[in-house]
Structures are given as C-alpha cells and as structure tokens.
Amino acid sequence: MIKTNIAIIGGGPAGLAAAIAAHNKGIKDIILFERDKELGGILNQCIHDGFGLHKFKTRLTGPEYAGRYIDEIKKTQVDIRLNHMVTNISDDLAITLVNEDRGAYKVQAKAIVLAMGCRERPRGALNIPGSRPAGIYTAGTVQKLVNMEGKLPGKNIVILGSGDIGLIMARRMTLEGANVKAVCEMMPYSSGLTRNVVQCLNDFNIPLKLSHTVTRILGDKRIEGVEISRLDQNLKPIPGSEEIMECDTLILSVGLIPENDIIFGVNMTMNQFTGGPMIDNNLMTDKPGIFSCGNCLHVHDLVDYVSEESTLAGERAAEFVLKEKLPQQEKIPLKCGENVRYIVPGYITKESIEPVTVMFRVTKPMNDCRISIYCDDIQLMAAKRQRCTPGESERITLSKERVRTILEKGSITVSVSE
Amino acid sequence: MEKQIICIQCPVGCSVTVKHDGQNIKGISGNKCSKGKFYVQSEFICSNRVLTSTVLCKTEKGILPLPVKTDGEIPLHLLRDAVTQLRKNTYTAPVKTGDKICSDILGTGIDVVATKDLL
C-alpha cells in the first residue's frame, strides 16, 4: 500500500491552503486528491468578483483567487492527483480511491485533512408537489452550465431561495438575456448577503418575494410554471394567496450541505447543526489525525475565512505528523447560548496556549445586538454588533489570556441578545 | 426629495437616506460610518459596477467560455450593452490571467481582462 505523511482530500480553496501550509511546516510527503480534472473547486465557476477582500485586500474573481493558490502549490513538492475520487476512509486512516487509469487503490496516511466542500440541497429534499419535468436546476448547476459550458438553461426563470448563488445567477442570467421573474424566499428575510440583494436583484428590478414559496410545479415534460404562495408566521402557505407564475426554468438556491459521505465509516462525532464533524481548536476531529476545514466542516460565507481556517488545519496536521502522535487531550466544549445556532470549533483543548477564533451563526436576524461570552456565570467578554443575521456568520477571537481563563473555569457559552 | 440607498460597504447594510433637489445632495442620514457617506455620494451621482462575464475562446479542446472582468467599475446602465459588445467576438487561446480582451469598452476608458489562464 502507498504510504504518505498527509493526505488532503479535495483541491478547492480549503485543500489548497491546507496543503501549502503543511508543506511550509516542513512536511514534504503530501498527496492531494481532487476528483475534478483541475484544481480550484467551486471557485472555477464563481466568475463574479468580491473574493479576497480580507485575505488579499483586493477584489478578485473566483478563478483569480484560486489561481493565486494554484500558482503557489505548483512551487511545492505536493503530489497532486487529479481525477481521483476518494470513496472511503477507514478507522485506521487508510484511504480508498478510484481513478480511471490506476483503477482502485489504497493509501495509508499518518494524517488526513478533509476538505471536500459542500453540495447543494436538491429538489428531493423540499417536498414540492407536482410532476418531475425537465427545467428544474440547483443554482450551482446553472452556474456551471452558464459559466463553464456556455449554455443558458432557460429564458423565463423563477428562483426559489435567496441563497447567494441564486442571487448571483439571477444577475448573470439577466445579463445573458434571460427574464428572471422573481426570487421567492420562504423566510421573512434574505439568506444571502445584502451586497448581493442590492447588486444582483435591486440593480435589475428583480422582485424579491419574502415569505413566499413554491407550492406546486406545473408542466409535464418541461416545467411550464410554478404556483407561488404566501406563508404565515409558522411558514404555512396561506390559502387563497396562490399565484401562478409561468416559467421554463426553476432554479433552487435553498442551502448547502457539507459533503462528508466518505467519513461515515470513521468513528467520529458529527455536529447535527453544521453537518460537519465536531472539531477542536486545532481543527482536529475526535478521531486523532483526521482534520476538517472549509465547507465540509461548516458552510462559510467567505472564501477568505476558508483559506485562513484551512491554513491552520494544514499546520496542525503537520505538527501532528512531526510529533508522531499527540496524547488524547482533555477538551472544554463550547456551548451555544441564547440565539446561537452553532459554534465552530466545538471544543478547546486543555493544552491551548494560543488565541482561538470562534465562528458562529445566530438563529434569527437581530439589530443592535450584544455578543456575550460567559464562563459559568462570569461574563468574560462582550462585543457589540449593529446587525447579526443567520446568513452572515460572526467571528470572535479569544485572546491568550481569555483562553487561559476558559480553561481554568472549564466552561464557555456564547450567546447573542438584542 | 429623498432617496433610499442601501450601503453595501459592510455587512451592516445601512439604509441611508439622501435628501436632494434632483441634482445636488442636501443631506445624508442613516449611515453609521464615513464609508457609507462616500458610498452613497458616488452611488447617487452614478452607480458603477464591475462587470464579470464570459467570452467565447477557441482552444485545443474546442470553443470554451473564458471568464473576464472589467478592470474597474463601469456605469450600471452600460452592463447589458457591454455584455452584448463582448459577445460579438470569439477569442483565441492561449490566454493568461490579466490579458487584455477588449480595450476601452463602450468608451468608458475601462479595459476588459481575462480572469483565468486558458491554454
């Protein structure tokens, strides 16, 4: 069996940053597996700009952002294996792969960095009544068709869900000559960034119908229209509010799900709110040697944060390999308090001496809010925010001193109040 | 007269009110920082946007879309025309990131450049 120090699963922004960071820490024997024919992951189809504002202090498009990391990794000795699909990871860190030329084979790693990204929630997960005609796509599929294959999937379009990719495709398809009739969002607020609502919808007078959803799909061979209904406070369709909107295409932008199928055979704890594994502040899962970063850990808003997090994961994976094996560490769990849906990382290890950045999402939009971090009943720190929404994750960095206090007290809770 | 402009300089998304007489700004309120003031000032005069799109490019593997962007902001009302203009030509690989695809698009003084290497 082929042996390697570190195996990186995925060649998107997370995998690229992790591989480069591990290499820079002195690990030369690294293999990166990517199932696509090129590196860059989802950035390749995100031709819009706005990437890199934090990381590079300039606005880049997706391919440009990926290009910077691809140029960097090509200067390293990282063994890049394209067209390689990982099908399984075993409990002893053996990876099973398939490749057209090499067939199926196994690689034994000392450490693994999971960087598989996420997938889109499909129609099947929504239970919309109606037949199953052609013309229903997820936003990412449309993005790939338009931006990478040069194909426009339809002319009269309704978008369900106000996720960022859906908003961006509304603008893109409008500029390509399609008629985007409306974006329907089930919640009373948009799940996409304000910037995207303004520049992708308002700029082109595309209506954003909040508290509306698609309640029926019309058409047999090809979709011919959708029935839209207004929703009440309990998200139930209001009888009598139905409206038929003719269209030849329905685009779904209704959420992303971390893609972790290949680790289901590994004995590790998952976080039911993020869909990713539970990790400590070293990005390590509770399976020693397996690290997770990027959108397979939890869905991020900005690629800049993915790169930052994945760099840390790569460094920690390198340290793990260099020290051979870390002792089973004692961990303090981070608890979600009032109005907090999830927090990443899930634990802080007892040995931590460095600052820890925590990312979390709130459960509902709030104005003039206060983020509070408690140890038992003692308030450790507080921060003000003018606005928090579920669509935009929050970040707080805990200083060394605060981390020390948390470890002494043995507890931490993050809550947000209005 | 009043115009509402949502500031997009940061995630707060202030709803800024611009008081004006049709031509000149008479007052700005609702912005929580100075970035918002500058943003609505320029937004009020003329909305400018970076355009990202694709053009067709002849490669060894056939004709593929090449991602491009304007190398600066152009007026919002010119976006559609710019896309139409770019669609008129087919380009030829190899193209490197940053290569100029079109000079001075629609007389804006802004160039259109490739955002990906295509061999």
Side-chain angles (χ1 to χ4, degrees):
Chain A
M1 190 167 14
I2 298 167
K3 292 196 161 97
T4 187
N5 273 324
I6 302 180
I8 313 265
I9 323 257
L16 289 167
I20 292 165
H23 185 269
N24 291 347
K25 277 269 168 184
I27 308 281
K28 299 300 168 218
D29 180 19
I30 301 170
I31 311 180
L32 184 151
F33 301 105
E34 165 56 49
R35 68 180 163 197
D36 206 347
K37 59 183 186 293
E38 61 182 338
L39 293 172
I42 207 69
L43 288 170
N44 287 320
Q45 66 185 60
C46 298
I47 64 157
H48 55 279
D49 80 337
F51 302 96
L53 276 167
H54 293 265
K55 176 87 189 153
F56 298 112
K57 309 292 172 212
T58 179
R59 286 168 59 170
L60 301 172
T61 66
E64 288 175 316
Y65 189 98
R68 294 200 175 195
Y69 283 89
I70 294 168
D71 290 347
E72 189 81 12
I73 203 167
K74 283 185 176 159
K75 294 179 202 153
T76 69
Q77 289 130 281
V78 174
D79 178 355
I80 298 165
R81 299 195 184 183
L82 302 173
N83 302 305
H84 274 74
M85 177 84 188
V86 173
T87 56
N88 187 51
I89 296 173
S90 72
D91 231 15
D92 58 356
L93 276 61
I95 299 164
T96 310
L97 303 132
V98 285
N99 167 257
E100 201 175 19
D101 301 323
R102 302 175 70 138
Y105 67 105
K106 282 193 173 188
V107 172
Q108 177 66 51
K110 285 185 187 163
I112 297 173
V113 180
L114 306 170
M116 292 88 71
C118 58
R119 293 191 83 84
E120 295 176 279
R121 183 167 286 134
R123 177 189 170 185
L126 299 180
N127 290 327
I128 308 171
S131 56
R132 302 177 69 181
I136 304 172
Y137 300 88
T138 56
T141 304
V142 173
Q143 192 178 38
K144 182 159 190 169
L145 287 170
V146 176
N147 293 349
M148 297 188 75
E149 294 176 21
K151 297 181 179 116
L152 198 60
K155 284 283 168 74
N156 287 302
I157 297 165
V158 173
I159 299 178
L160 174 60
S162 60
D164 287 307
I165 316 166
L167 300 179
I168 281 157
M169 289 321 292
R171 170 177 63 187
R172 179 84 172 106
M173 297 189 76
T174 302
L175 286 170
E176 286 299 323
N179 172 22
V180 179
K181 295 190 156 181
V183 174
C184 298
E185 168 60 52
M186 172 176 93
M187 303 305 285
Y189 51 87
S190 162
S191 59
L193 301 175
T194 313
R195 178 170 82 182
N196 288 332
V197 174
V198 172
Q199 296 204 336
C200 300
L201 302 185
N202 300 2
D203 273 4
F204 301 96
N205 302 316
I206 299 168
L208 172 60
K209 293 172 93 71
L210 297 173
S211 298
H212 277 76
T213 196
V214 171
T215 43
R216 204 152 51 99
I217 286 169
L218 311 172
D220 182 15
K221 284 194 169 62
R222 174 90 193 187
I223 186 168
E224 287 164 11
V226 288
E227 178 194 84
I228 310 257
S229 298
R230 198 147 52 81
L231 302 177
D232 65 18
Q233 285 165 331
N234 303 315
L235 305 179
K236 294 270 179 286
I238 300 171
S241 70
E242 301 89 350
E243 172 192 349
I244 301 290
M245 219 175 246
E246 282 179 26
C247 64
D248 58 25
T249 307
L250 174 67
I251 300 177
L252 306 176
S253 183
V254 289
L256 302 167
I257 306 162
E259 188 172 14
N260 283 310
D261 313 52
I262 58 171
I263 56 166
F264 288 166
V266 183
N267 187 18
M268 64 168 74
T269 319
M270 301 297 285
N271 181 330
Q272 58 164 320
F273 295 102
T274 58
M278 288 292 284
I279 49 133
D280 61 28
N281 54 312
N282 298 314
L283 282 308
M284 190 159 84
T285 64
D286 54 17
K287 180 78 201 173
I290 300 189
F291 297 77
S292 177
C293 56
N295 280 351
C296 70
L297 173 60
H298 68 114
V299 176
H300 293 62
D301 316 332
L302 298 179
V303 70
D304 305 57
Y305 297 149
V306 168
S307 298
E308 184 186 303
E309 178 182 277
S310 308
T311 298
L312 186 65
E315 287 172 359
R316 293 295 190 256
E319 286 163 13
F320 179 87
V321 169
L322 292 169
K323 286 185 206 153
E324 288 298 315
K325 209 172 172 104
L326 296 177
Q328 261 305 29
Q329 293 172 320
E330 222 186 309
K331 296 179 285 196
I332 309 286
L334 281 87
K335 291 185 202 129
C336 297
E338 196 189 356
N339 298 320
V340 174
R341 175 158 290 136
Y342 72 71
I343 310 174
V344 175
Y347 313 102
I348 298 181
T349 60
K350 273 277 193 187
E351 287 81 358
S352 302
I353 45 163
E354 289 184 25
V356 174
T357 299
V358 299
M359 285 179 106
F360 58 93
R361 270 182 209 282
V362 296
T363 50
K364 59 176 189 195
M366 288 176 284
N367 289 319
D368 296 319
C369 29
R370 184 185 178 85
I371 300 169
S372 309
I373 298 182
Y374 287 96
C375 288
D376 297 331
D377 289 339
I378 307 153
Q379 185 172 310
L380 187 63
M381 66 181 288
K384 281 186 178 167
R385 290 287 187 276
Q386 286 173 335
R387 188 169 167 78
C388 287
T389 69
E392 296 182 23
S393 62
E394 286 295 333
R395 286 156 57 93
I396 292 266
T397 300
L398 304 165
S399 65
K400 279 185 205 173
E401 293 71 31
R402 289 193 170 120
V403 168
R404 203 180 307 134
T405 313
I406 292 163
L407 296 176
E408 280 164 15
K409 298 279 179 195
S411 109
I412 168 172
T413 306
V414 179
S415 60
V416 181
S417 54
E418 231 165 331
Chain B
M1 284 183 283
E2 280 187 5
K3 189 179 177 185
Q4 294 289 330
I5 297 176
I6 299 168
C7 175
I8 54 164
Q9 294 299 300
C10 83
V12 173
C14 293
S15 185
V16 185
T17 307
V18 181
K19 283 197 173 124
H20 63 93
D21 61 8
Q23 293 237 315
N24 301 308
I25 297 176
K26 296 290 177 195
I28 294 173
S29 59
N31 55 310
K32 292 185 168 121
C33 74
S34 59
K35 275 188 189 172
K37 188 178 163 194
F38 295 123
Y39 175 77
V40 297
Q41 276 171 346
S42 66
E43 196 66 16
F44 180 78
I45 298 160
C46 180
S47 300
N48 291 311
R49 301 283 183 266
V50 167
L51 170 69
T52 58
S53 188
T54 50
V55 296
L56 294 177
C57 190
K58 275 187 208 132
T59 72
E60 284 174 6
K61 291 171 193 160
I63 294 179
L64 292 176
L66 167 71
V68 297
K69 69 172 182 184
T70 53
D71 203 10
E73 293 184 333
I74 64 170
L76 175 61
H77 67 270
L78 290 178
L79 293 186
R80 279 170 209 267
D81 292 347
V83 171
T84 311
Q85 178 75 21
L86 287 171
R87 208 183 283 134
K88 285 179 186 163
N89 293 320
T90 301
Y91 303 83
T92 311
V95 181
K96 297 283 275 179
T97 303
D99 281 1
K100 201 181 287 182
I101 295 300
C102 167
S103 296
D104 186 19
I105 183 134
L106 303 173
T108 54
I110 300 290
D111 298 333
V112 176
V113 297
T115 59
K116 193 176 184 175
D117 297 347
L118 211 55
L119 301 174

